Amino acid sequence: MPTTLEVKTPRLVTALPGPNAKRVLEQDAKFMSPSYTRDYPLVAKRGLGAIVEDVDGNSFLDFAAGIAVCSTGHCHPKVVAAIQKQAAELIHMSGTDFYYESMPQLAERLGRTMPGAESKKVFFTNSGTEAIEGAIKLARYATKRDKMIAFYGCFHGRTMGALSLTASKSTQRKGFGALLGGIEHIPYPYAYRCAHGHTAETCGAEILEQLEGQIFKRLFDPEDVAGIIIEPIQGEGGYVPAPKFFLQELQRICRRHGIMFIVDEVQSGMGRTGKWWASEHAGIEPDILCSAKGIASGMPLGAIMARESVMLWKPGSHGTTFGGNPVCLAAALATMDLIESEYKENARRMGEYLFGRLADWTKNFNIVGDVRGRGLMIGIEIVRDQRTKEKAADLRNAIVDLAFHKGLLVLGAGENTIRLSPPLLIDQEQADFAARTLEECFREAGKKI
């Protein structure tokens, strides 16, 4: 690896974007679909740990991790070794038609992490959106019902079924016509903007009342509802955590009516919050849990995990050609080893450290409205006025761009939130650099008001 990757903090050697990056940007504009969204002109070439190097030799500290995918960092030697070993033995046979040992091995390990005493079964997919699509089908199959309830602000994917659940940005739906029927959305408990003035611990009681007093009485009889799906911490919606009591009460409602309680942990799972699953912090036991992103350190893999009594569909009811590919499974097994042995605890510890660093930001910076999240899943909401809480998307975007030009990679989430989702291996030096850099960016962006 080049010496630029051996550093722990950024080193910029050209103006951004550099000459090689500009050449790639020109090619991209000619040949790539314009549907991709890019916040700034990073043209990545290689990565190691939490450092990414671009095509011009500039190194950046990565606090985006490929949208929370590179859980063990970029190119972790143990993950790379597992991929290389497996690729030399067997790349593909399709687990839908044949068997290989690593499928039940990984399924057993994942099942043990899912809360609840009942045994679990697993179906492997290629991505998070495929896991959500499968969860919709499984909930319908298990309950013999067809209605679903999701939440405003949620993001569950872009394929047609998952998109029907998604209610994050209208542009994600615009132009695609009729979506899956029988889906209703209700508000998500967003404490910072709670219409009833509740705290982060109490926001959401009225939403539960709306569910039972309005949705179940006026729209869907609960006996027609197959599943209720929720992100315990909304991802694209702005890194908004649901209160513990809210998740517990939602589970109680589902149990009472025989509704599948589905938890989308695609972004919040795999140790990111200091536990295997963000939902563990609330002590809940979902019927179905969807995972992807950080499950295989960058290899394409997702999983639908469910209680054994739920995953009873017959052979041929659901399948996949590439889901559970042997190379991806090998990466996932190595990833689980690393998360279990050190990175889950590091995410908890570094998360606590960062929250300590960020605790006074709402006092020190008048454009910071809220700092929230858990572990290494941190959202910083940017506002124009702390009193009115006016959303400042332009300032958020400016901060993201400023950070890039200082060597820090971050992404937006929601309309006006900055997300911090670094690899789970970051250390205190890197956390300090990120905090200092963002403070500089806030000061510069604050001058624009």
Side-chain angles (χ1 to χ4, degrees), residues 376-406:
L376 290 178
M377 188 174 186
I378 301 171
I380 306 159
E381 184 157 350
I382 306 302
V383 296
R384 200 168 305 280
D385 185 299
Q386 288 183 334
R387 183 183 58 82
T388 65
K389 301 182 181 180
E390 180 187 349
K391 297 176 181 178
D394 59 331
L395 294 180
R396 188 277 306 275
N397 295 342
I399 292 166
V400 169
D401 188 65
L402 283 167
F404 167 65
H405 283 87
K406 295 177 187 295

Side-chain angles (χ1 to χ4, degrees), residues 107-183:
E108 180 187 14
R109 289 189 65 179
L110 283 171
R112 288 201 306 266
T113 70
M114 183 175 166
E118 185 178 336
S119 296
K120 313 300 188 302
K121 290 200 171 183
V122 177
F123 181 95
F124 290 115
T125 68
N126 297 289
S127 66
T129 192
E130 283 190 20
I132 299 298
E133 291 282 348
I136 296 171
K137 291 176 66 178
L138 180 58
R140 285 182 164 195
Y141 193 98
T143 62
K144 305 298 183 280
R145 306 171 182 182
D146 66 347
K147 304 295 189 293
M148 296 285 294
I149 294 171
F151 291 83
Y152 290 120
C154 68
F155 182 89
H156 297 296
R158 298 178 191 268
T159 51
M160 294 301 273
L163 183 61
S164 304
L165 296 174
T166 291
S168 179
K169 299 180 181 73
S170 60
T171 187
Q172 293 162 350
R173 289 173 161 233
K174 182 177 173 60
F176 299 115
L179 300 177
L180 190 66
I183 291 175

